[in-house]
Each structure stands twice: as C-alpha cells, then as structure tokens.
Amino acid sequence: MTGTLIAPADAPGRAAHRDPNVLRWLAAYTSSMVGDSVYYIALSWAAVQQGSPAQAGAVMAVSAVPRALLMLGGGVIADRFGPRRVVIGSDTVRCAAVLAVAALLFLTSPGLWPLALLAVMFGTVDAVFMPAVGALPARVTSRDQLARVQGMRGLAIRFANVVGGPLGGLGVAIGGAATAFAFAGLLIAVSVPLLISVRMRELPRDDKADALGGTADAGAAAGGRGPAPGVGAVSAADSEARGATAPAPDKADARPASPVDDLRAGLRYIRGHRVLAPLMLAIALGDLGFVGPLNVGLTLLADERGWGASGMGWVLSGFGVGAGAAALLLTVRGRLPHAGWLAGCSIVAGSVAIGALAFVPSVLAAVGVALLVGLLAGLSGAVCGALLQTQADPAYLGRVTAVSGLVSLGFAPLSMPLSAAAIGVWDTGPVFVVSAVVCGLGGAIALCVRDLRRAELPG
C-alpha cells in the first residue's frame, strides 16, 4: 500500500497543530487508543463473566508474552515495510478480530478460549503496531515539529484514558461485553481510513537506494549512523548533531541485509549512539522505579492509610492532570530549551516526589504530591520521547521504539510483583524510597553523560 508523498522529511513545514495532515494522523491515533481502552474494559468484563478471577487474570496477562517476545522483530518489520503500511495493517487485523469476538459473544457463550486467543493475537499485533506507531511521526511532519507532535500524542493518550473507561462501561451496560467489543472494533476501524488519507514525507532518493541494501549494518558496526532500510546518507554535520560517532560507509560496500542483520544493525546503532544509548538506560531506570509505586504500590498505600478506592481514585486523577499538563506544555511550546538537562532534572525531582508520596498524612496532600509526580514524570517522559524521536534516524525509529517499548512494557512491569512482595516484608515507606532511588539514577545518568545532558530539540 503506497501513500501520497510530500516534501522530504527534514524540510521545514507548518506548525504540527495547524497541519491538516498531522491532525488526520492524530485523529487516527486517538481513535485507535480509545478503542484499545474500550477493548481492555470489554476483555476484563467478559473474562470475569466466563471464568474464575484467576482465569480472568491469566487472560488479561497473556497478551504481554507475545508482545515482549516479538517487540524487537516488530521494530524490524516497521522499518522494512514502512510504519504507515504496518499501522494500517495492524489496525485492520485488530479491528477484524475484535468484531469477530463481538459477533461470537452476541450469538453464543463460547467460554474463555476465544478471549484468550484474542488476547494472544492482540499482543502479537501490538508487537508490530507499537514500533510502527513510534516511527510514524517522523514521516508525517518535519523534524522541527516532532517535539510538539510528542506532546500532542501525550494528550491523545490522556484523552483515551479518560474517555475509554466510561465508554467501555457504557457498552457493557447497554449490551454486555459483546457491545463493548463492538464499540472497540468500530473505534479502531475509524482509524484505518484516516491513516490511508495521511500523506507521508518522502525521504531523499539516496535514502531509498540505501533501503534496499545492507549499508546500515556496516555503518552501525562502525559506530556511525549508516543507512538502514528506509534511511539514507546525511551530512557529517547532521551526523554530529544527532550523536553519531562515524560517517556512513561507501555505497560500494552495500550488501543485501536479512531481518536478523537489520535487528543487529539497530541494536548496534543504539549502542554506538552518544545520546540514544544513555537515554535508553535513563528511560529504563526511570520506568523501573516508577511503575511499581504508581501501580500496585499506590493501591497498597491507599489500603494501609484507609483512603479507600475513592481516595486512590483522587490520587490517580492528580497524577493524570499533571501528566496532561506536561503534554499540553510541549504541545503549545513546541520546543523546550536544554532538553537533556531538563529531562535529567525532572526525573530526579520526580523521584523525590515518588519517595515523598509514601509519607504524606492525608488524601489531599497525596493528591498534591501525585499532581507533582504526574507533572514531572509527564515532562520527563515527553522530553525523553521527543529526544528519542529527533535524535534517531527516521528508518531506525521502528527498532529504536521497539527497544524503548520492550523496556517499558516488558521489563518495567516486573517491578510490580517485586514491589508488592517487598511492601509485604518492609512496608510502603522503604519500598517507595528504594524505588525513588532507582528512578533518580535515571536522572543522574541524563545529567552526568555530557552528550545527553547537552542534547537539544530542533526548532
């Protein structure tokens, strides 16, 4: 599937929030994310109705296995076949599968097996979908607008989280899980024609020629930013600006590259990049220290303090408002100066707020601290995401996003059972403090690594 091509990816264009092409992409992305939120509500409800709580938990968790195992391969697919084509195909498959299960539930009570199969399929497709989604903005807008697009994407995620739950609940109230699944499938379906209408920014002709060969593997092996499938030659000045360590090799060295070669090239590219390598480590440590306390840890803290479900809901709302404000700030400003330094400082400050959350005396104080955590975590996450988008070559973005997603969705959730077990032994205070230290180490890396600390957003 080919799309209309517009100016090369590095050419300056209009502001992203005024660009109809970007707004079509944003509408497609938002519709798909709301559909995802409704899907998870429908899946959890249907699983509880069809089986025991333990079986329902297994159905909800099973999608994480193929997602984690196949994420790196999904990044290769996104870079090889183009992010737009992969996202359209992924959304089409997800829509068809969800609507098929909705029809099955309307007609009969099939038990847990179709739900488990749907969850596995969703996780498998997500392994391809998520890297492609991360790589798509670089082909939709100019490089100087990628930071603003990252903020717009953050707002879309917050909107989906706010709207998806009530909409899924409405579907369940009207006609059970089948209706909720139908809502989810239709919302995902809306994204497909919108994505088809999105025009892609054309890479230079030399980039296309390099996409057919294996120069990326050679270039990455040399520690540089040699072209990969879909990426092309760039100037030495641009290589230096993006943290490369060596120029691209001569095209005479090009050789056919297999998917395994592309995966190795992507990993070597990240490892040899002076900004991306420490940025990945900072993101990993930040997520590991953040996920446990702000998920299972917060639930246990609310139970320990007697805040109840409503109190926990208010704390989570405070976090969501803070994170949304950070995304709005990046959307409005489009660029924040001293991005690397700002990311490091916000991670460190956010880690202090995470540690303090376990010691606040009341729900109101917890909401205020959670608002601060959300603002700082949202700011650091948005800036780190924008740096990732602007520092990586466009055709490496699928693999770069896959590595980042593997850390966030594969490794970081492991901290949740560890946090729960540790709280059972040592109480909430010490565990929150240790988590804050782990999170703060990510900020320390961002501040101590010179190239990352001095990294700037374009524009």
Side-chain angles (χ1 to χ4, degrees):
M1 186 180 302
T2 59
T4 305
L5 297 177
I6 54 179
D10 284 335
R14 71 176 72 183
H17 59 295
R18 297 189 182 96
D19 187 344
N21 194 51
V22 174
L23 294 178
R24 285 193 297 270
W25 163 82
L26 183 66
Y29 180 75
T30 303
S31 179
S32 182
M33 290 298 99
V34 175
D36 277 3
S37 295
V38 174
Y39 157 78
Y40 284 111
I41 297 294
L43 182 65
S44 61
W45 182 266
V48 168
Q49 296 299 309
Q50 299 288 335
S52 67
Q55 290 172 325
V59 169
M60 294 300 295
V62 72
S63 63
V65 177
R67 185 187 300 122
L69 292 177
L70 302 175
M71 183 76 75
L72 294 180
V76 173
I77 292 173
D79 286 340
R80 279 199 154 226
F81 296 98
R84 175 177 174 273
R85 183 181 302 178
V86 172
V87 171
I88 290 173
S90 299
D91 270 347
T92 301
V93 172
R94 298 193 313 158
C95 171
V98 171
L99 290 178
V101 170
L104 189 63
L105 290 176
F106 269 123
L107 298 174
T108 183
S109 297
L112 284 173
W113 71 265
L115 302 178
L117 185 63
L118 176 64
V120 171
M121 186 282 304
F122 227 78
T124 302
V125 176
D126 272 353
V128 180
F129 174 80
M130 290 179 176
V133 164
L136 192 56
R139 299 296 304 275
V140 173
T141 190
S142 56
R143 186 168 172 262
D144 65 313
Q145 292 298 312
L146 286 174
R148 176 173 274 120
V149 168
Q150 189 68 20
M152 295 165 68
R153 184 179 174 187
L155 287 175
I157 292 172
R158 297 300 157 195
F159 177 82
N161 290 339
V162 170
V163 173
L167 191 57
L170 177 63
V172 170
I174 291 175
T179 301
F181 275 126
F183 281 3
L186 292 175
L187 284 164
I188 296 172
V190 169
S191 71
V192 175
L194 288 170
L195 285 169
I196 292 174
S197 69
V198 171
R199 297 172 296 166
M200 300 293 288
R201 300 184 75 86
E202 185 178 14
L203 293 175
R205 181 172 297 276
D206 285 345
D207 295 8
K208 297 177 182 177
D210 290 334
L212 302 176
T215 46
D217 194 38
R225 55 191 302 279
V231 70
V234 293
S235 69
D238 190 51
S239 295
E240 184 67 22
R242 295 200 197 182
T245 57
D250 192 280
K251 290 185 176 66
D253 295 332
R255 57 182 174 78
S258 69
V260 175
D261 290 332
D262 286 344
L263 177 57
R264 290 172 178 167
L267 295 176
R268 280 196 289 266
Y269 172 75
I270 295 170
R271 188 179 63 214
H273 200 289
R274 295 197 303 266
V275 174
L276 290 179
L279 179 61
M280 290 291 184
L281 184 56
I283 291 172
L285 289 170
D287 284 345
L288 286 171
F290 175 84
V291 170
L294 267 297
N295 286 275
V296 64
L298 182 59
T299 302
L300 295 174
L301 179 65
D303 180 67
E304 177 185 292
R305 299 295 176 84
W307 295 343
S310 62
M312 186 181 71
W314 279 109
V315 174
L316 288 173
S317 297
F319 169 79
V321 170
L328 180 62
L329 174 64
L330 194 57
T331 300
V332 173
R333 289 292 302 273
R335 176 185 181 274
L336 297 175
H338 313 296
W341 179 85
L342 180 62
C345 290
S346 57
I347 293 173
V348 171
S351 69
V352 174
I354 289 173
L357 189 59
F359 301 96
V360 294
S362 65
V363 174
L364 183 61
V367 171
V369 174
L371 180 68
L372 183 61
V373 171
L375 180 63
L376 293 169
L379 182 61
S380 63
V383 173
C384 286
L387 284 172
L388 188 148
Q389 286 278 328
T390 56
Q391 289 288 327
D393 284 328
Y396 278 108
L397 265 174
R399 284 162 285 181
V400 169
T401 304
V403 173
S404 177
L406 182 62
V407 170
S408 300
L409 300 173
F411 299 149
L414 296 177
S415 66
M416 288 192 285
L418 293 176
S419 296
I423 289 173
V425 176
W426 292 295
D427 208 356
T428 53
V431 175
F432 270 66
V433 170
V434 171
S435 297
V437 170
V438 173
C439 184
L441 288 175
I445 288 173
L447 293 174
C448 292
V449 177
R450 175 179 176 273
D451 290 298
L452 177 54
R453 184 179 68 251
R454 296 186 176 185
E456 293 281 4
L457 297 174

